[in-house]
Structure formats: C-alpha cells, structure tokens
Amino acid sequence: MLMKDILINPQMIYYDKEDKPYTPYVKARVDIAYFCKQAGFEILDVNYKHSKFAPLRSLYKLISHIRAIKHLNKGDRVWFEHPEPLLYVFYILLLKIIKIKQCKIFFITMDLHYLLYKQDMRKEINLLNLSDFTVLHAENMKKLALEYGAKCKIECLHFFPYHTTDKMIEKEKLIEMKNIIAFAGSLSNSDFLYDFLRLEFENIKVRFYGFNANVDLTPYKDKSYMGKFEPNEVSSIQAGWGLVWNGTNIDNLEGMLGEYLKYNAPHKMSLYLVAGMPVITHKNCGLAHIVEEKNLGITVSSLKELDEKIASISIEEYKRIVDNARTYGNFIRQGGDFMQIVRRIKNNEG
C-alpha cells in the first residue's frame, strides 16, 4: 500500500442566531490546506460541533479526531496545523495513538501557544518531540525550541504561504505612494497605537486597515482609517509600505505580542509582500534579517525614525526595494519555503 501524506483539517461548526451552521474563516490555515492539496495531500476534514460547555467541547473534538484517523495506514505521514484545538492531555493521547499505528507525525506550526502566552514551554516541547518533523516560523523560534530540548527535525517557514488570485498593486502606483504607510490588522489588539498616533509626521502619512474598534483618527491629519478588507483582495490595501509591528511600545518589542514578534512569522508580512509592497519592521523582529538581506523593505529601532528614514530613501532606491518585494511576493504566492520543504519531504530528502 502506498504511503500517503494526510493533512488533518479541523472544521469547528458554529451556529448563528438563526441556527445556521458556519465555520470560522482563518486565512493562514485555509491557505496551508490549499497548498497541501496542490502538493497532492489527502485533506482529512475533522468536523465537530461547538459546545458552550468546555468539557463536552473537548470530548467532541477528541472523538472526532479519533474517528478521522481510523483509516490511517502504517507509514502514512500525518500532518497537523499545530496546535490542534484539543486539550493538552487529549492532544498527547491523539499523537500517541497515531504513533501506535506506526504513522509519522509532521507539524506545520501556526503558533507556539506556550511561547506566545508565556506558559510552560516544556509542554510545547513534549508535543514537538512526539513529531518526526516540525516546521517552525523563524530561526529564532527554532533556536529557542532546541534550547528547550526539541529533538525532532526542524525547518523554518520564514513567510507563510499566501494564496490569492488578486493582482499586485501596480508598480507605478506604489511609487506614487512612496510616502504612505499601511498598517493592517486588529487595531484593538495593537496597544502601541496609542503612542504611535501621537507621533506627528511631516513627510509621511499612515493608513489603517482592519477592525477599527472605535479608534478615533479624526484629530490626526497624517493618519486615516480606510476600513476593513477581504484577505484575498490584497490590492485593496493602498500604500507604498506595509508596517509589521506589535506589542505595547513604539521603540521596542515589548508586551506579550511584541515579544512574540521576535520569534514568529507574522502573517501580515506575507500579506504586504503578496500585494507587492515593501515592509517595515523592527530590527529585532524574527524575520528582520531576511528583510535586510533580501532588501524587501526597511528595519527600524523605533517608529519615531519613520519620517526621516522614508524621506531619505531616493525614488531609485525605492524602486529596487519594490522590485525585490514583488519578486519575493510572487514566491510566497507559489507557496514559498513551505512548498519547497514539502517537495523535499515527498522526494525523501527531508
């Protein structure tokens, strides 16, 4: 019997006020499933109902997962978008059952929750060590996992693959918007914005996209709210740069989300590059070295530097940065490093 690559694809079914079923849309997970299917994976949907009662909810999930893996065969490679939405003890149990069936376990890490929420990393490493192969985000994340005792084989994603059929922003239009920065995301979760909004810029303007959360931008002449956007309609973000920043501080990466930015691959960085836009991030961001090496944008030590830094970039230099960002954006549209890792594994090179 041929060995198969199988992606476990959880589908939690919620019900709206009219009792109509729906499944939340999570762009990063949907795109991973898309590229896995492109690579010839079998996509194994795990459907389970949402329950208001946590014990029942966890039990539903475990039962659904065990039913889904009944037909696994010896030697199959079972891929998870880690972490699965299971209680820790249930997750461990599920992985051990798969091991008993003599299948291999592969993790595509969406987040390291124990790192993100500053919990016991040993639990995270226990999970990783039940895998045969784990795809982590950035080199800093890999280094940290190894320091805590990870023994599985690890490669880095660097940038999340991003599927869209929407065209990139036209290069000529980007050049016209050289002095405009976009920040896309949930404004309510971006605590640094309180200080950022107080910065007064002479040379640049900032456009905000996403959930407004009642942030009042009317007092600021150089900042404006542009509304929500569909994740697949990347060209609806109109700016010359995309800002990747998080946490509580405009100078350093502080706070839970700021610290996490030192280790992870922010999905919005893929979004900007796929739109053809160069990126701006902190020098200590987990992907800063790639941004610098490949000249995909600029890195700064503080958001206070933005006005002067962008003004100092000539049109010719900006054009070169745009060309690099667009080339790399097309690479991400094709699956990026993730698809290269998958091909190596399928060719028995991983």
Side-chain angles (χ1 to χ4, degrees), residues 192-201 220 222-223 250:
F192 74 91
L193 289 180
Y194 293 106
D195 290 328
F196 183 54
L197 292 176
R198 295 190 185 98
L199 296 178
E200 294 183 3
F201 300 125
Y220 310 102
D222 53 359
K223 301 174 183 74
I250 61 173

PDB file of all heavy atoms in Angstrom, residues 192-201 220 222-223 250:
ATOM      1  N   PHE A 192       0.437  49.483  20.923  1.00  0.00           N
ATOM      2  CA  PHE A 192       1.428  50.511  20.599  1.00  0.00           C
ATOM      3  C   PHE A 192       0.800  51.705  19.876  1.00  0.00           C
ATOM      4  O   PHE A 192       1.373  52.796  19.829  1.00  0.00           O
ATOM      5  CB  PHE A 192       2.559  49.923  19.743  1.00  0.00           C
ATOM      6  CG  PHE A 192       2.182  49.651  18.315  1.00  0.00           C
ATOM      7  CD1 PHE A 192       2.381  50.625  17.338  1.00  0.00           C
ATOM      8  CD2 PHE A 192       1.636  48.440  17.934  1.00  0.00           C
ATOM      9  CE1 PHE A 192       2.033  50.401  16.014  1.00  0.00           C
ATOM     10  CE2 PHE A 192       1.292  48.191  16.615  1.00  0.00           C
ATOM     11  CZ  PHE A 192       1.479  49.174  15.659  1.00  0.00           C
ATOM     12  N   LEU A 193      -0.382  51.486  19.308  1.00  0.00           N
ATOM     13  CA  LEU A 193      -1.023  52.546  18.521  1.00  0.00           C
ATOM     14  C   LEU A 193      -1.332  53.792  19.350  1.00  0.00           C
ATOM     15  O   LEU A 193      -1.346  54.904  18.815  1.00  0.00           O
ATOM     16  CB  LEU A 193      -2.311  52.026  17.883  1.00  0.00           C
ATOM     17  CG  LEU A 193      -2.152  51.021  16.729  1.00  0.00           C
ATOM     18  CD1 LEU A 193      -3.508  50.602  16.207  1.00  0.00           C
ATOM     19  CD2 LEU A 193      -1.295  51.594  15.613  1.00  0.00           C
ATOM     20  N   TYR A 194      -1.560  53.614  20.634  1.00  0.00           N
ATOM     21  CA  TYR A 194      -1.886  54.777  21.467  1.00  0.00           C
ATOM     22  C   TYR A 194      -0.760  55.808  21.431  1.00  0.00           C
ATOM     23  O   TYR A 194      -1.005  57.014  21.351  1.00  0.00           O
ATOM     24  CB  TYR A 194      -2.169  54.338  22.907  1.00  0.00           C
ATOM     25  CG  TYR A 194      -3.420  53.504  23.028  1.00  0.00           C
ATOM     26  CD1 TYR A 194      -3.344  52.130  23.242  1.00  0.00           C
ATOM     27  CD2 TYR A 194      -4.685  54.087  22.911  1.00  0.00           C
ATOM     28  CE1 TYR A 194      -4.498  51.351  23.336  1.00  0.00           C
ATOM     29  CE2 TYR A 194      -5.836  53.328  22.998  1.00  0.00           C
ATOM     30  CZ  TYR A 194      -5.733  51.957  23.216  1.00  0.00           C
ATOM     31  OH  TYR A 194      -6.872  51.203  23.292  1.00  0.00           O
ATOM     32  N   ASP A 195       0.487  55.347  21.482  1.00  0.00           N
ATOM     33  CA  ASP A 195       1.633  56.262  21.392  1.00  0.00           C
ATOM     34  C   ASP A 195       1.954  56.610  19.943  1.00  0.00           C
ATOM     35  O   ASP A 195       2.392  57.726  19.641  1.00  0.00           O
ATOM     36  CB  ASP A 195       2.863  55.640  22.070  1.00  0.00           C
ATOM     37  CG  ASP A 195       2.708  55.563  23.585  1.00  0.00           C
ATOM     38  OD1 ASP A 195       2.035  56.447  24.140  1.00  0.00           O
ATOM     39  OD2 ASP A 195       3.252  54.625  24.188  1.00  0.00           O
ATOM     40  N   PHE A 196       1.729  55.639  19.048  1.00  0.00           N
ATOM     41  CA  PHE A 196       2.041  55.863  17.636  1.00  0.00           C
ATOM     42  C   PHE A 196       1.191  56.999  17.059  1.00  0.00           C
ATOM     43  O   PHE A 196       1.675  57.826  16.281  1.00  0.00           O
ATOM     44  CB  PHE A 196       1.811  54.568  16.860  1.00  0.00           C
ATOM     45  CG  PHE A 196       2.163  54.645  15.396  1.00  0.00           C
ATOM     46  CD1 PHE A 196       3.424  55.073  14.993  1.00  0.00           C
ATOM     47  CD2 PHE A 196       1.247  54.289  14.425  1.00  0.00           C
ATOM     48  CE1 PHE A 196       3.758  55.143  13.636  1.00  0.00           C
ATOM     49  CE2 PHE A 196       1.572  54.346  13.080  1.00  0.00           C
ATOM     50  CZ  PHE A 196       2.823  54.784  12.689  1.00  0.00           C
ATOM     51  N   LEU A 197      -0.061  57.039  17.445  1.00  0.00           N
ATOM     52  CA  LEU A 197      -0.964  58.069  16.923  1.00  0.00           C
ATOM     53  C   LEU A 197      -0.525  59.473  17.336  1.00  0.00           C
ATOM     54  O   LEU A 197      -0.796  60.452  16.638  1.00  0.00           O
ATOM     55  CB  LEU A 197      -2.397  57.815  17.397  1.00  0.00           C
ATOM     56  CG  LEU A 197      -3.094  56.579  16.825  1.00  0.00           C
ATOM     57  CD1 LEU A 197      -4.465  56.396  17.446  1.00  0.00           C
ATOM     58  CD2 LEU A 197      -3.204  56.657  15.315  1.00  0.00           C
ATOM     59  N   ARG A 198       0.164  59.559  18.444  1.00  0.00           N
ATOM     60  CA  ARG A 198       0.617  60.870  18.931  1.00  0.00           C
ATOM     61  C   ARG A 198       1.830  61.404  18.184  1.00  0.00           C
ATOM     62  O   ARG A 198       2.167  62.581  18.290  1.00  0.00           O
ATOM     63  CB  ARG A 198       0.944  60.782  20.429  1.00  0.00           C
ATOM     64  CG  ARG A 198      -0.267  60.478  21.306  1.00  0.00           C
ATOM     65  CD  ARG A 198       0.072  60.640  22.779  1.00  0.00           C
ATOM     66  NE  ARG A 198      -1.035  60.244  23.637  1.00  0.00           N
ATOM     67  CZ  ARG A 198      -1.124  59.057  24.228  1.00  0.00           C
ATOM     68  NH1 ARG A 198      -0.172  58.163  24.048  1.00  0.00           N
ATOM     69  NH2 ARG A 198      -2.163  58.783  24.998  1.00  0.00           N
ATOM     70  N   LEU A 199       2.509  60.522  17.427  1.00  0.00           N
ATOM     71  CA  LEU A 199       3.662  60.974  16.647  1.00  0.00           C
ATOM     72  C   LEU A 199       3.176  61.859  15.498  1.00  0.00           C
ATOM     73  O   LEU A 199       2.241  61.500  14.780  1.00  0.00           O
ATOM     74  CB  LEU A 199       4.437  59.780  16.082  1.00  0.00           C
ATOM     75  CG  LEU A 199       5.104  58.833  17.089  1.00  0.00           C
ATOM     76  CD1 LEU A 199       5.782  57.687  16.345  1.00  0.00           C
ATOM     77  CD2 LEU A 199       6.125  59.576  17.942  1.00  0.00           C
ATOM     78  N   GLU A 200       3.824  62.970  15.316  1.00  0.00           N
ATOM     79  CA  GLU A 200       3.466  63.871  14.216  1.00  0.00           C
ATOM     80  C   GLU A 200       4.493  63.736  13.098  1.00  0.00           C
ATOM     81  O   GLU A 200       5.692  63.881  13.324  1.00  0.00           O
ATOM     82  CB  GLU A 200       3.405  65.318  14.719  1.00  0.00           C
ATOM     83  CG  GLU A 200       2.289  65.561  15.724  1.00  0.00           C
ATOM     84  CD  GLU A 200       2.201  67.024  16.143  1.00  0.00           C
ATOM     85  OE1 GLU A 200       2.976  67.854  15.598  1.00  0.00           O
ATOM     86  OE2 GLU A 200       1.360  67.328  17.007  1.00  0.00           O
ATOM     87  N   PHE A 201       4.001  63.457  11.892  1.00  0.00           N
ATOM     88  CA  PHE A 201       4.879  63.248  10.744  1.00  0.00           C
ATOM     89  C   PHE A 201       4.768  64.413   9.766  1.00  0.00           C
ATOM     90  O   PHE A 201       3.674  64.903   9.490  1.00  0.00           O
ATOM     91  CB  PHE A 201       4.524  61.940  10.030  1.00  0.00           C
ATOM     92  CG  PHE A 201       4.656  60.710  10.897  1.00  0.00           C
ATOM     93  CD1 PHE A 201       3.588  59.845  11.068  1.00  0.00           C
ATOM     94  CD2 PHE A 201       5.855  60.430  11.529  1.00  0.00           C
ATOM     95  CE1 PHE A 201       3.717  58.714  11.861  1.00  0.00           C
ATOM     96  CE2 PHE A 201       5.995  59.298  12.320  1.00  0.00           C
ATOM     97  CZ  PHE A 201       4.916  58.439  12.486  1.00  0.00           C
ATOM     98  N   TYR A 220      -6.105  63.546  13.673  1.00  0.00           N
ATOM     99  CA  TYR A 220      -4.767  63.398  13.099  1.00  0.00           C
ATOM    100  C   TYR A 220      -4.801  63.621  11.588  1.00  0.00           C
ATOM    101  O   TYR A 220      -5.421  62.856  10.849  1.00  0.00           O
ATOM    102  CB  TYR A 220      -4.208  62.009  13.417  1.00  0.00           C
ATOM    103  CG  TYR A 220      -4.311  61.639  14.879  1.00  0.00           C
ATOM    104  CD1 TYR A 220      -5.318  60.778  15.328  1.00  0.00           C
ATOM    105  CD2 TYR A 220      -3.432  62.172  15.809  1.00  0.00           C
ATOM    106  CE1 TYR A 220      -5.420  60.441  16.670  1.00  0.00           C
ATOM    107  CE2 TYR A 220      -3.532  61.844  17.159  1.00  0.00           C
ATOM    108  CZ  TYR A 220      -4.533  60.977  17.577  1.00  0.00           C
ATOM    109  OH  TYR A 220      -4.634  60.653  18.903  1.00  0.00           O
ATOM    110  N   ASP A 222      -2.303  63.352   9.521  1.00  0.00           N
ATOM    111  CA  ASP A 222      -1.417  62.445   8.784  1.00  0.00           C
ATOM    112  C   ASP A 222      -1.812  60.976   8.930  1.00  0.00           C
ATOM    113  O   ASP A 222      -1.088  60.093   8.505  1.00  0.00           O
ATOM    114  CB  ASP A 222       0.041  62.636   9.244  1.00  0.00           C
ATOM    115  CG  ASP A 222       0.194  62.514  10.751  1.00  0.00           C
ATOM    116  OD1 ASP A 222      -0.821  62.301  11.434  1.00  0.00           O
ATOM    117  OD2 ASP A 222       1.330  62.632  11.249  1.00  0.00           O
ATOM    118  N   LYS A 223      -2.972  60.697   9.541  1.00  0.00           N
ATOM    119  CA  LYS A 223      -3.405  59.315   9.759  1.00  0.00           C
ATOM    120  C   LYS A 223      -4.884  59.188   9.438  1.00  0.00           C
ATOM    121  O   LYS A 223      -5.679  60.065   9.767  1.00  0.00           O
ATOM    122  CB  LYS A 223      -3.130  58.886  11.206  1.00  0.00           C
ATOM    123  CG  LYS A 223      -1.654  58.984  11.594  1.00  0.00           C
ATOM    124  CD  LYS A 223      -1.426  58.689  13.062  1.00  0.00           C
ATOM    125  CE  LYS A 223       0.043  58.881  13.413  1.00  0.00           C
ATOM    126  NZ  LYS A 223       0.427  60.316  13.468  1.00  0.00           N
ATOM    127  N   ILE A 250       6.434  51.776  21.041  1.00  0.00           N
ATOM    128  CA  ILE A 250       6.817  52.235  19.699  1.00  0.00           C
ATOM    129  C   ILE A 250       8.335  52.213  19.491  1.00  0.00           C
ATOM    130  O   ILE A 250       8.804  52.426  18.378  1.00  0.00           O
ATOM    131  CB  ILE A 250       6.274  53.649  19.411  1.00  0.00           C
ATOM    132  CG1 ILE A 250       6.822  54.669  20.405  1.00  0.00           C
ATOM    133  CG2 ILE A 250       4.765  53.654  19.378  1.00  0.00           C
ATOM    134  CD1 ILE A 250       6.464  56.112  20.091  1.00  0.00           C
TER     135      ILE A 250
END
